[in-house]
Amino acid sequence: METLEQIRDRLLARFPAAKIELVVNPGPAAEHSLLLDAAFAPEIATFLHDDEVLRLDYCSNATGIDWPEKEIIDATTKAKTVQPGYLEAVYHLYSMSRKHGPVILRLRTANRSDQVTLPSFTPVWKSCDFQECEIYDLYGIVFAGHPDLRRLLMWHGFKDHPMRRDYVAPDDYEWEPTPHGSVLDRAKVHYPATAPQPETPKP
Amino acid sequence: MSDPTRPEPVERAATPAPTPFPAAGNISDADREDLRQHGILLTSLEELYGWGRSNSIWPLQFGLACCAIEMIAAATARFDIARFGAEIFRPSPRQADLMIVSGTVTKKMAPLVVRLWNQMPEPKYCIAMGACAISGGPFKQGYNVLKGIDRLIPVDIYIPGCPPRPEALLHGLTELQAKIRGERVSGPQAARHLRADQPSEFPIPDYGEHDLEPPSNPALFKPPVLPRKT
Amino acid sequence: MSLFPHLTAPPGPTVRAVHDEFHGDLLEVSMGPQHPSTHGVFRMVVTLDGEQIVKLKPVFGYLHRNHEKIAENTSYLSSMPYTDRLDYLCSMSNNWAYALAVEKLGGLTVPDRAQYLRVIMAELTRLVNHSCLVGFLFNDLGTSFTPLLYAFREREKILDLFESLSGSRMMCNYQRFGGCRVDPTPEWLATASALVDNFPKFLDEYETMLSGNEIMLARTQGVGRVAAAQAINAGITGPGLRACGVDYDVRKVDGYGFYPRFDFRVPLGAHGDTYDRYMMRILEMRESVKILQQAFRDLPAGPVMDPKAKLRGFRPKAGEAYGRLEGPKGELGFYLISDGSPNPWRYRVRPPSLINLTLLEEMCLGHTIADAVVILGSIDIVLGEVDR
């Protein structure tokens, strides 16, 4: 299969106005990905699907990621900059006819609150149908062009997006025998401290 | 006991200790056994009624999660739940008298479980099979997981395990049979389904915007009160 | 306003069928979540014109137990037991898929003996899953339990092996990133090998009863057809894809583990109907037996864990990895993102059961409810994995 740089260069030659960035994966897996321009994403997806060399006819995995805003402290100047948060949709593409892959595509929203619309890939790969519904349900990314976007896992009428990092679950905490970590914090909130009780002798 | 978050033990309603059965007047069990060897069978209607009911339990064919596979395994040849008269799994709640809550009850599923329970005719019993049905189990920290079905409907038998082995389910079933055999048909200790003051149907929670409404039935479930030491 | 507001169909595209005074009213039936034939708490909202299905909307989430959220708040090792509970018929292959992804993320190696043991466990799991699936499929066809009894008889034998090895019948929690948890004894291997050698006898018995059965043929051939291009586009994987004649098996394509060392065929169907999906399972079991016999023959000695692997406090470098394998139901993938902390930043399961349901409506259109039940049975879903 072509390298990701070659794919990017071919895409840039085909879509000169699009902004396509190579996102480097620093880990040992070294599965790099392409960050696409949301405005051109449907055309690029169709191109990748139909291209004779690549023929990425199979979209295996589609998922969302939440990146809340993050404070970055520069190591030398100690200056603090706030990196804005965004939501990301990631697609893993393979080719069943050419038996190669994966090509990983990423799409990012402008922010996490009001500009959360991304183009849907369901018209190109039907396998994204339920997965994009799931991303909409759990992360709140709205996929424009999806034929039937609805909550997949939570009920109709549920208001939150529970896989987001800042989601707060309803407080139905119940005592656990060995609370620790975040569970202990929840226990302390749920059972506020009271004045010491006199020890009652156990019969 | 130095754990500051450990709560006081929960006060549970004490079940009355079973008194010996007044099977036939004041004749003792040894006398009855003696008579039985001579071909004379003495029993009471109450005892006969309990014996019959305990050996023809029809469970609801209702699987929720992993434990349902072990429930099916309990019905197959090796474990053979038919030996205990409970092999007729009915798909309709109208024909069933035992609900085996076999698996994780999610908040999306909880109203439907209560509805099924309400649709079952009395006398009916409930077994909470597995850690999830008892307390949420390994998935307790999940936002969509109901932390124990006893928050919404009364449970007769709890079977721990993740999942419980089929033998554990059979043990739970025999425990339930013993409980049924010990039930009285009249008097102040009469069985739950024979008393007018005991509800047979329970309120079905609604899907709210963030959680079930109400998240638990306050008449059934009291969260443990925990005075935490400073 | 409907009598049961939360039981009404979710909003979706409009009904496709002709609906006028001549054709009469359409009937909407909610099947599930408590239904004997939906394999758990799956729900379908079916619209019927007479007896024909004109619209079918699956409704998910009744077993959504927040596996991904829990895993993002716990360490890499603690997620391993949760993977058992994804597809609770195939805990061993779920373990492997997760271990594969973590090994890719952390750049870990696996000893040879562990690689062979993983193949053995995964193929035994395939035998369990496929034999149970066939049993359940015949339940859906109306044979009420008898084939299932045979299937569970064989399943119990394999579960006994799993139990003696890992300590649990269903939730094995056996594999670790960097190897396997315990080494089987020679007695265990001898028992397992004998079981595998006897398995074809069971398959012959099963096939004699079922494969040529006239009712079976009438109920399944030509029912629930899928074209190859349609299946590829919808991301169908596993036996359901190969029943359409698409030669795509991750064991061959990716060659993960030691699968390139094994000699086996990938059975392919031709029609993409329910009968082909059934036959794929039977043929795959025969191939699994072949793989297992080779694995027992070639199993090398040595350690089962990489001595350098660090299970507790495992902190992979920042990065991401997508590990996938050919599970019994299809391509099972784990997508992990690490930010260098002990917990994964993103933990995603690519559930084959959910994505294989994408074409359920297309398969069922024009058929009756009774056929929809059989089609669903042949897709082979487990709700723990569909909803996670």
PDB file of all heavy atoms in Angstrom, chain C residues 260-291:
ATOM      1  N   PRO C 260      -0.114 -17.514  10.482  1.00  0.00           N
ATOM      2  CA  PRO C 260       0.534 -17.885   9.216  1.00  0.00           C
ATOM      3  C   PRO C 260       1.204 -19.255   9.265  1.00  0.00           C
ATOM      4  O   PRO C 260       1.446 -19.852   8.224  1.00  0.00           O
ATOM      5  CB  PRO C 260       1.559 -16.767   9.014  1.00  0.00           C
ATOM      6  CG  PRO C 260       1.025 -15.622   9.759  1.00  0.00           C
ATOM      7  CD  PRO C 260       0.316 -16.183  10.935  1.00  0.00           C
ATOM      8  N   ARG C 261       1.515 -19.763  10.457  1.00  0.00           N
ATOM      9  CA  ARG C 261       2.157 -21.067  10.544  1.00  0.00           C
ATOM     10  C   ARG C 261       1.179 -22.219  10.349  1.00  0.00           C
ATOM     11  O   ARG C 261       1.608 -23.366  10.276  1.00  0.00           O
ATOM     12  CB  ARG C 261       2.807 -21.247  11.919  1.00  0.00           C
ATOM     13  CG  ARG C 261       3.894 -20.254  12.197  1.00  0.00           C
ATOM     14  CD  ARG C 261       4.618 -20.646  13.447  1.00  0.00           C
ATOM     15  NE  ARG C 261       5.665 -19.681  13.749  1.00  0.00           N
ATOM     16  CZ  ARG C 261       6.559 -19.852  14.693  1.00  0.00           C
ATOM     17  NH1 ARG C 261       6.531 -20.942  15.423  1.00  0.00           N
ATOM     18  NH2 ARG C 261       7.476 -18.938  14.915  1.00  0.00           N
ATOM     19  N   PHE C 262      -0.110 -21.922  10.368  1.00  0.00           N
ATOM     20  CA  PHE C 262      -1.082 -23.009  10.333  1.00  0.00           C
ATOM     21  C   PHE C 262      -1.643 -23.169   8.929  1.00  0.00           C
ATOM     22  O   PHE C 262      -1.785 -22.193   8.191  1.00  0.00           O
ATOM     23  CB  PHE C 262      -2.230 -22.739  11.313  1.00  0.00           C
ATOM     24  CG  PHE C 262      -1.806 -22.816  12.736  1.00  0.00           C
ATOM     25  CD1 PHE C 262      -1.380 -21.692  13.409  1.00  0.00           C
ATOM     26  CD2 PHE C 262      -1.805 -24.028  13.403  1.00  0.00           C
ATOM     27  CE1 PHE C 262      -0.965 -21.766  14.718  1.00  0.00           C
ATOM     28  CE2 PHE C 262      -1.397 -24.108  14.711  1.00  0.00           C
ATOM     29  CZ  PHE C 262      -0.976 -22.976  15.365  1.00  0.00           C
ATOM     30  N   ASP C 263      -1.975 -24.398   8.634  1.00  0.00           N
ATOM     31  CA  ASP C 263      -2.519 -24.704   7.325  1.00  0.00           C
ATOM     32  C   ASP C 263      -4.023 -24.879   7.475  1.00  0.00           C
ATOM     33  O   ASP C 263      -4.483 -25.826   8.119  1.00  0.00           O
ATOM     34  CB  ASP C 263      -1.865 -25.988   6.802  1.00  0.00           C
ATOM     35  CG  ASP C 263      -2.542 -26.482   5.554  1.00  0.00           C
ATOM     36  OD1 ASP C 263      -2.963 -25.632   4.747  1.00  0.00           O
ATOM     37  OD2 ASP C 263      -2.664 -27.711   5.391  1.00  0.00           O
ATOM     38  N   PHE C 264      -4.785 -23.946   6.965  1.00  0.00           N
ATOM     39  CA  PHE C 264      -6.247 -24.077   7.033  1.00  0.00           C
ATOM     40  C   PHE C 264      -6.871 -23.318   5.871  1.00  0.00           C
ATOM     41  O   PHE C 264      -6.250 -22.445   5.274  1.00  0.00           O
ATOM     42  CB  PHE C 264      -6.797 -23.584   8.375  1.00  0.00           C
ATOM     43  CG  PHE C 264      -6.635 -22.111   8.626  1.00  0.00           C
ATOM     44  CD1 PHE C 264      -7.703 -21.253   8.442  1.00  0.00           C
ATOM     45  CD2 PHE C 264      -5.433 -21.571   9.048  1.00  0.00           C
ATOM     46  CE1 PHE C 264      -7.575 -19.894   8.677  1.00  0.00           C
ATOM     47  CE2 PHE C 264      -5.293 -20.220   9.282  1.00  0.00           C
ATOM     48  CZ  PHE C 264      -6.365 -19.379   9.105  1.00  0.00           C
ATOM     49  N   ARG C 265      -8.096 -23.673   5.554  1.00  0.00           N
ATOM     50  CA  ARG C 265      -8.817 -23.031   4.476  1.00  0.00           C
ATOM     51  C   ARG C 265      -9.817 -22.045   5.045  1.00  0.00           C
ATOM     52  O   ARG C 265     -10.246 -22.185   6.182  1.00  0.00           O
ATOM     53  CB  ARG C 265      -9.585 -24.073   3.653  1.00  0.00           C
ATOM     54  CG  ARG C 265      -8.717 -24.965   2.791  1.00  0.00           C
ATOM     55  CD  ARG C 265      -9.574 -25.856   1.911  1.00  0.00           C
ATOM     56  NE  ARG C 265     -10.718 -26.408   2.643  1.00  0.00           N
ATOM     57  CZ  ARG C 265     -11.979 -26.243   2.283  1.00  0.00           C
ATOM     58  NH1 ARG C 265     -12.289 -25.547   1.227  1.00  0.00           N
ATOM     59  NH2 ARG C 265     -12.944 -26.778   2.997  1.00  0.00           N
ATOM     60  N   VAL C 266     -10.211 -21.086   4.250  1.00  0.00           N
ATOM     61  CA  VAL C 266     -11.298 -20.184   4.636  1.00  0.00           C
ATOM     62  C   VAL C 266     -12.519 -20.584   3.824  1.00  0.00           C
ATOM     63  O   VAL C 266     -12.546 -20.382   2.617  1.00  0.00           O
ATOM     64  CB  VAL C 266     -10.924 -18.718   4.368  1.00  0.00           C
ATOM     65  CG1 VAL C 266     -12.078 -17.820   4.721  1.00  0.00           C
ATOM     66  CG2 VAL C 266      -9.703 -18.340   5.160  1.00  0.00           C
ATOM     67  N   PRO C 267     -13.525 -21.204   4.450  1.00  0.00           N
ATOM     68  CA  PRO C 267     -14.692 -21.619   3.672  1.00  0.00           C
ATOM     69  C   PRO C 267     -15.468 -20.412   3.156  1.00  0.00           C
ATOM     70  O   PRO C 267     -15.565 -19.383   3.831  1.00  0.00           O
ATOM     71  CB  PRO C 267     -15.527 -22.434   4.665  1.00  0.00           C
ATOM     72  CG  PRO C 267     -14.992 -22.124   6.001  1.00  0.00           C
ATOM     73  CD  PRO C 267     -13.624 -21.584   5.850  1.00  0.00           C
ATOM     74  N   LEU C 268     -15.974 -20.536   1.959  1.00  0.00           N
ATOM     75  CA  LEU C 268     -16.723 -19.438   1.347  1.00  0.00           C
ATOM     76  C   LEU C 268     -18.078 -19.932   0.881  1.00  0.00           C
ATOM     77  O   LEU C 268     -18.202 -21.052   0.387  1.00  0.00           O
ATOM     78  CB  LEU C 268     -15.959 -18.871   0.141  1.00  0.00           C
ATOM     79  CG  LEU C 268     -14.657 -18.148   0.433  1.00  0.00           C
ATOM     80  CD1 LEU C 268     -14.060 -17.654  -0.860  1.00  0.00           C
ATOM     81  CD2 LEU C 268     -14.884 -16.980   1.363  1.00  0.00           C
ATOM     82  N   GLY C 269     -19.077 -19.093   1.034  1.00  0.00           N
ATOM     83  CA  GLY C 269     -20.413 -19.416   0.533  1.00  0.00           C
ATOM     84  C   GLY C 269     -20.609 -18.828  -0.848  1.00  0.00           C
ATOM     85  O   GLY C 269     -19.714 -18.205  -1.414  1.00  0.00           O
ATOM     86  N   ALA C 270     -21.809 -19.008  -1.370  1.00  0.00           N
ATOM     87  CA  ALA C 270     -22.063 -18.489  -2.705  1.00  0.00           C
ATOM     88  C   ALA C 270     -23.328 -17.647  -2.762  1.00  0.00           C
ATOM     89  O   ALA C 270     -23.461 -16.806  -3.646  1.00  0.00           O
ATOM     90  CB  ALA C 270     -22.182 -19.642  -3.698  1.00  0.00           C
ATOM     91  N   HIS C 271     -24.258 -17.862  -1.846  1.00  0.00           N
ATOM     92  CA  HIS C 271     -25.563 -17.221  -1.995  1.00  0.00           C
ATOM     93  C   HIS C 271     -25.806 -16.094  -0.995  1.00  0.00           C
ATOM     94  O   HIS C 271     -26.669 -15.266  -1.203  1.00  0.00           O
ATOM     95  CB  HIS C 271     -26.672 -18.262  -1.837  1.00  0.00           C
ATOM     96  CG  HIS C 271     -26.498 -19.444  -2.725  1.00  0.00           C
ATOM     97  ND1 HIS C 271     -25.869 -20.597  -2.312  1.00  0.00           N
ATOM     98  CD2 HIS C 271     -26.822 -19.631  -4.010  1.00  0.00           C
ATOM     99  CE1 HIS C 271     -25.833 -21.457  -3.320  1.00  0.00           C
ATOM    100  NE2 HIS C 271     -26.407 -20.894  -4.360  1.00  0.00           N
ATOM    101  N   GLY C 272     -25.081 -16.081   0.101  1.00  0.00           N
ATOM    102  CA  GLY C 272     -25.309 -15.050   1.103  1.00  0.00           C
ATOM    103  C   GLY C 272     -26.632 -15.175   1.809  1.00  0.00           C
ATOM    104  O   GLY C 272     -27.145 -14.201   2.352  1.00  0.00           O
ATOM    105  N   ASP C 273     -27.215 -16.362   1.835  1.00  0.00           N
ATOM    106  CA  ASP C 273     -28.488 -16.526   2.528  1.00  0.00           C
ATOM    107  C   ASP C 273     -28.277 -17.212   3.881  1.00  0.00           C
ATOM    108  O   ASP C 273     -27.153 -17.511   4.275  1.00  0.00           O
ATOM    109  CB  ASP C 273     -29.486 -17.306   1.655  1.00  0.00           C
ATOM    110  CG  ASP C 273     -28.963 -18.668   1.268  1.00  0.00           C
ATOM    111  OD1 ASP C 273     -27.838 -18.992   1.674  1.00  0.00           O
ATOM    112  OD2 ASP C 273     -29.668 -19.396   0.556  1.00  0.00           O
ATOM    113  N   THR C 274     -29.381 -17.432   4.572  1.00  0.00           N
ATOM    114  CA  THR C 274     -29.286 -17.970   5.913  1.00  0.00           C
ATOM    115  C   THR C 274     -28.645 -19.349   5.924  1.00  0.00           C
ATOM    116  O   THR C 274     -27.872 -19.679   6.812  1.00  0.00           O
ATOM    117  CB  THR C 274     -30.694 -18.038   6.525  1.00  0.00           C
ATOM    118  OG1 THR C 274     -31.259 -16.744   6.440  1.00  0.00           O
ATOM    119  CG2 THR C 274     -30.653 -18.454   7.957  1.00  0.00           C
ATOM    120  N   TYR C 275     -28.942 -20.145   4.895  1.00  0.00           N
ATOM    121  CA  TYR C 275     -28.376 -21.493   4.869  1.00  0.00           C
ATOM    122  C   TYR C 275     -26.861 -21.429   4.716  1.00  0.00           C
ATOM    123  O   TYR C 275     -26.130 -22.169   5.377  1.00  0.00           O
ATOM    124  CB  TYR C 275     -28.979 -22.297   3.717  1.00  0.00           C
ATOM    125  CG  TYR C 275     -28.548 -23.729   3.725  1.00  0.00           C
ATOM    126  CD1 TYR C 275     -29.076 -24.609   4.659  1.00  0.00           C
ATOM    127  CD2 TYR C 275     -27.599 -24.210   2.833  1.00  0.00           C
ATOM    128  CE1 TYR C 275     -28.671 -25.926   4.697  1.00  0.00           C
ATOM    129  CE2 TYR C 275     -27.190 -25.523   2.871  1.00  0.00           C
ATOM    130  CZ  TYR C 275     -27.732 -26.374   3.799  1.00  0.00           C
ATOM    131  OH  TYR C 275     -27.325 -27.680   3.846  1.00  0.00           O
ATOM    132  N   ASP C 276     -26.373 -20.513   3.884  1.00  0.00           N
ATOM    133  CA  ASP C 276     -24.926 -20.395   3.729  1.00  0.00           C
ATOM    134  C   ASP C 276     -24.283 -19.922   5.019  1.00  0.00           C
ATOM    135  O   ASP C 276     -23.194 -20.370   5.380  1.00  0.00           O
ATOM    136  CB  ASP C 276     -24.596 -19.423   2.597  1.00  0.00           C
ATOM    137  CG  ASP C 276     -24.647 -20.100   1.250  1.00  0.00           C
ATOM    138  OD1 ASP C 276     -25.220 -21.199   1.195  1.00  0.00           O
ATOM    139  OD2 ASP C 276     -24.124 -19.547   0.272  1.00  0.00           O
ATOM    140  N   ARG C 277     -24.958 -19.023   5.709  1.00  0.00           N
ATOM    141  CA  ARG C 277     -24.392 -18.561   6.977  1.00  0.00           C
ATOM    142  C   ARG C 277     -24.317 -19.711   7.973  1.00  0.00           C
ATOM    143  O   ARG C 277     -23.363 -19.821   8.731  1.00  0.00           O
ATOM    144  CB  ARG C 277     -25.231 -17.416   7.539  1.00  0.00           C
ATOM    145  CG  ARG C 277     -24.981 -16.099   6.837  1.00  0.00           C
ATOM    146  CD  ARG C 277     -25.575 -14.933   7.594  1.00  0.00           C
ATOM    147  NE  ARG C 277     -27.022 -14.857   7.466  1.00  0.00           N
ATOM    148  CZ  ARG C 277     -27.654 -14.269   6.460  1.00  0.00           C
ATOM    149  NH1 ARG C 277     -26.988 -13.675   5.515  1.00  0.00           N
ATOM    150  NH2 ARG C 277     -28.975 -14.254   6.410  1.00  0.00           N
ATOM    151  N   TYR C 278     -25.316 -20.578   7.949  1.00  0.00           N
ATOM    152  CA  TYR C 278     -25.274 -21.764   8.809  1.00  0.00           C
ATOM    153  C   TYR C 278     -24.128 -22.676   8.403  1.00  0.00           C
ATOM    154  O   TYR C 278     -23.342 -23.133   9.244  1.00  0.00           O
ATOM    155  CB  TYR C 278     -26.616 -22.493   8.728  1.00  0.00           C
ATOM    156  CG  TYR C 278     -26.568 -23.945   9.097  1.00  0.00           C
ATOM    157  CD1 TYR C 278     -26.473 -24.328  10.431  1.00  0.00           C
ATOM    158  CD2 TYR C 278     -26.593 -24.937   8.129  1.00  0.00           C
ATOM    159  CE1 TYR C 278     -26.405 -25.665  10.774  1.00  0.00           C
ATOM    160  CE2 TYR C 278     -26.529 -26.269   8.461  1.00  0.00           C
ATOM    161  CZ  TYR C 278     -26.428 -26.631   9.781  1.00  0.00           C
ATOM    162  OH  TYR C 278     -26.354 -27.944  10.129  1.00  0.00           O
ATOM    163  N   MET C 279     -23.984 -22.920   7.095  1.00  0.00           N
ATOM    164  CA  MET C 279     -22.946 -23.848   6.642  1.00  0.00           C
ATOM    165  C   MET C 279     -21.549 -23.303   6.915  1.00  0.00           C
ATOM    166  O   MET C 279     -20.622 -24.065   7.192  1.00  0.00           O
ATOM    167  CB  MET C 279     -23.092 -24.134   5.144  1.00  0.00           C
ATOM    168  CG  MET C 279     -24.103 -25.195   4.803  1.00  0.00           C
ATOM    169  SD  MET C 279     -24.015 -26.669   5.811  1.00  0.00           S
ATOM    170  CE  MET C 279     -22.539 -27.454   5.184  1.00  0.00           C
ATOM    171  N   MET C 280     -21.399 -21.967   6.873  1.00  0.00           N
ATOM    172  CA  MET C 280     -20.096 -21.383   7.189  1.00  0.00           C
ATOM    173  C   MET C 280     -19.654 -21.799   8.580  1.00  0.00           C
ATOM    174  O   MET C 280     -18.503 -22.121   8.816  1.00  0.00           O
ATOM    175  CB  MET C 280     -20.176 -19.852   7.144  1.00  0.00           C
ATOM    176  CG  MET C 280     -20.187 -19.233   5.791  1.00  0.00           C
ATOM    177  SD  MET C 280     -18.841 -19.742   4.796  1.00  0.00           S
ATOM    178  CE  MET C 280     -19.689 -20.862   3.721  1.00  0.00           C
ATOM    179  N   ARG C 281     -20.589 -21.794   9.500  1.00  0.00           N
ATOM    180  CA  ARG C 281     -20.257 -22.165  10.885  1.00  0.00           C
ATOM    181  C   ARG C 281     -19.787 -23.604  10.946  1.00  0.00           C
ATOM    182  O   ARG C 281     -18.782 -23.917  11.586  1.00  0.00           O
ATOM    183  CB  ARG C 281     -21.467 -21.966  11.786  1.00  0.00           C
ATOM    184  CG  ARG C 281     -21.547 -20.635  12.479  1.00  0.00           C
ATOM    185  CD  ARG C 281     -21.834 -19.533  11.524  1.00  0.00           C
ATOM    186  NE  ARG C 281     -21.864 -18.221  12.131  1.00  0.00           N
ATOM    187  CZ  ARG C 281     -22.768 -17.314  11.822  1.00  0.00           C
ATOM    188  NH1 ARG C 281     -23.719 -17.567  10.965  1.00  0.00           N
ATOM    189  NH2 ARG C 281     -22.718 -16.125  12.362  1.00  0.00           N
ATOM    190  N   ILE C 282     -20.519 -24.488  10.303  1.00  0.00           N
ATOM    191  CA  ILE C 282     -20.162 -25.906  10.347  1.00  0.00           C
ATOM    192  C   ILE C 282     -18.774 -26.107   9.734  1.00  0.00           C
ATOM    193  O   ILE C 282     -17.904 -26.779  10.297  1.00  0.00           O
ATOM    194  CB  ILE C 282     -21.221 -26.734   9.590  1.00  0.00           C
ATOM    195  CG1 ILE C 282     -22.582 -26.600  10.267  1.00  0.00           C
ATOM    196  CG2 ILE C 282     -20.797 -28.176   9.470  1.00  0.00           C
ATOM    197  CD1 ILE C 282     -22.753 -27.399  11.504  1.00  0.00           C
ATOM    198  N   LEU C 283     -18.541 -25.480   8.557  1.00  0.00           N
ATOM    199  CA  LEU C 283     -17.260 -25.677   7.888  1.00  0.00           C
ATOM    200  C   LEU C 283     -16.123 -25.049   8.684  1.00  0.00           C
ATOM    201  O   LEU C 283     -15.030 -25.595   8.757  1.00  0.00           O
ATOM    202  CB  LEU C 283     -17.320 -25.084   6.471  1.00  0.00           C
ATOM    203  CG  LEU C 283     -18.310 -25.783   5.543  1.00  0.00           C
ATOM    204  CD1 LEU C 283     -18.429 -25.048   4.233  1.00  0.00           C
ATOM    205  CD2 LEU C 283     -17.878 -27.212   5.297  1.00  0.00           C
ATOM    206  N   GLU C 284     -16.404 -23.892   9.294  1.00  0.00           N
ATOM    207  CA  GLU C 284     -15.349 -23.263  10.094  1.00  0.00           C
ATOM    208  C   GLU C 284     -14.979 -24.110  11.289  1.00  0.00           C
ATOM    209  O   GLU C 284     -13.821 -24.153  11.705  1.00  0.00           O
ATOM    210  CB  GLU C 284     -15.793 -21.872  10.571  1.00  0.00           C
ATOM    211  CG  GLU C 284     -15.587 -20.828   9.514  1.00  0.00           C
ATOM    212  CD  GLU C 284     -15.797 -19.431  10.027  1.00  0.00           C
ATOM    213  OE1 GLU C 284     -15.834 -19.231  11.256  1.00  0.00           O
ATOM    214  OE2 GLU C 284     -15.936 -18.536   9.196  1.00  0.00           O
ATOM    215  N   MET C 285     -15.958 -24.799  11.862  1.00  0.00           N
ATOM    216  CA  MET C 285     -15.633 -25.683  12.983  1.00  0.00           C
ATOM    217  C   MET C 285     -14.706 -26.793  12.519  1.00  0.00           C
ATOM    218  O   MET C 285     -13.769 -27.160  13.217  1.00  0.00           O
ATOM    219  CB  MET C 285     -16.911 -26.266  13.587  1.00  0.00           C
ATOM    220  CG  MET C 285     -17.639 -25.284  14.490  1.00  0.00           C
ATOM    221  SD  MET C 285     -18.842 -26.074  15.520  1.00  0.00           S
ATOM    222  CE  MET C 285     -20.270 -26.045  14.489  1.00  0.00           C
ATOM    223  N   ARG C 286     -14.949 -27.308  11.330  1.00  0.00           N
ATOM    224  CA  ARG C 286     -14.068 -28.367  10.827  1.00  0.00           C
ATOM    225  C   ARG C 286     -12.652 -27.824  10.617  1.00  0.00           C
ATOM    226  O   ARG C 286     -11.669 -28.505  10.903  1.00  0.00           O
ATOM    227  CB  ARG C 286     -14.623 -28.935   9.524  1.00  0.00           C
ATOM    228  CG  ARG C 286     -15.940 -29.664   9.735  1.00  0.00           C
ATOM    229  CD  ARG C 286     -16.252 -30.595   8.601  1.00  0.00           C
ATOM    230  NE  ARG C 286     -17.577 -31.179   8.725  1.00  0.00           N
ATOM    231  CZ  ARG C 286     -17.841 -32.287   9.422  1.00  0.00           C
ATOM    232  NH1 ARG C 286     -16.880 -32.909  10.045  1.00  0.00           N
ATOM    233  NH2 ARG C 286     -19.079 -32.743   9.500  1.00  0.00           N
ATOM    234  N   GLU C 287     -12.558 -26.580  10.117  1.00  0.00           N
ATOM    235  CA  GLU C 287     -11.228 -25.993   9.949  1.00  0.00           C
ATOM    236  C   GLU C 287     -10.574 -25.745  11.305  1.00  0.00           C
ATOM    237  O   GLU C 287      -9.375 -25.935  11.464  1.00  0.00           O
ATOM    238  CB  GLU C 287     -11.323 -24.679   9.169  1.00  0.00           C
ATOM    239  CG  GLU C 287     -11.743 -24.840   7.723  1.00  0.00           C
ATOM    240  CD  GLU C 287     -10.831 -25.759   6.952  1.00  0.00           C
ATOM    241  OE1 GLU C 287      -9.607 -25.599   7.038  1.00  0.00           O
ATOM    242  OE2 GLU C 287     -11.340 -26.667   6.257  1.00  0.00           O
ATOM    243  N   SER C 288     -11.377 -25.315  12.292  1.00  0.00           N
ATOM    244  CA  SER C 288     -10.829 -25.078  13.628  1.00  0.00           C
ATOM    245  C   SER C 288     -10.234 -26.350  14.194  1.00  0.00           C
ATOM    246  O   SER C 288      -9.185 -26.320  14.842  1.00  0.00           O
ATOM    247  CB  SER C 288     -11.922 -24.576  14.570  1.00  0.00           C
ATOM    248  OG  SER C 288     -12.276 -23.283  14.230  1.00  0.00           O
ATOM    249  N   VAL C 289     -10.911 -27.467  13.961  1.00  0.00           N
ATOM    250  CA  VAL C 289     -10.388 -28.739  14.457  1.00  0.00           C
ATOM    251  C   VAL C 289      -9.024 -29.005  13.833  1.00  0.00           C
ATOM    252  O   VAL C 289      -8.081 -29.416  14.511  1.00  0.00           O
ATOM    253  CB  VAL C 289     -11.389 -29.872  14.142  1.00  0.00           C
ATOM    254  CG1 VAL C 289     -10.767 -31.217  14.403  1.00  0.00           C
ATOM    255  CG2 VAL C 289     -12.638 -29.704  14.980  1.00  0.00           C
ATOM    256  N   LYS C 290      -8.898 -28.687  12.537  1.00  0.00           N
ATOM    257  CA  LYS C 290      -7.607 -28.882  11.873  1.00  0.00           C
ATOM    258  C   LYS C 290      -6.525 -27.999  12.510  1.00  0.00           C
ATOM    259  O   LYS C 290      -5.410 -28.454  12.775  1.00  0.00           O
ATOM    260  CB  LYS C 290      -7.732 -28.546  10.387  1.00  0.00           C
ATOM    261  CG  LYS C 290      -8.025 -29.771   9.555  1.00  0.00           C
ATOM    262  CD  LYS C 290      -8.424 -29.517   8.133  1.00  0.00           C
ATOM    263  CE  LYS C 290      -7.648 -28.615   7.261  1.00  0.00           C
ATOM    264  NZ  LYS C 290      -8.327 -28.368   5.969  1.00  0.00           N
ATOM    265  N   ILE C 291      -6.876 -26.732  12.754  1.00  0.00           N
ATOM    266  CA  ILE C 291      -5.905 -25.819  13.364  1.00  0.00           C
ATOM    267  C   ILE C 291      -5.497 -26.337  14.737  1.00  0.00           C
ATOM    268  O   ILE C 291      -4.319 -26.355  15.095  1.00  0.00           O
ATOM    269  CB  ILE C 291      -6.510 -24.402  13.478  1.00  0.00           C
ATOM    270  CG1 ILE C 291      -6.803 -23.834  12.099  1.00  0.00           C
ATOM    271  CG2 ILE C 291      -5.569 -23.479  14.232  1.00  0.00           C
ATOM    272  CD1 ILE C 291      -7.504 -22.508  12.132  1.00  0.00           C
TER     273      ILE C 291
END
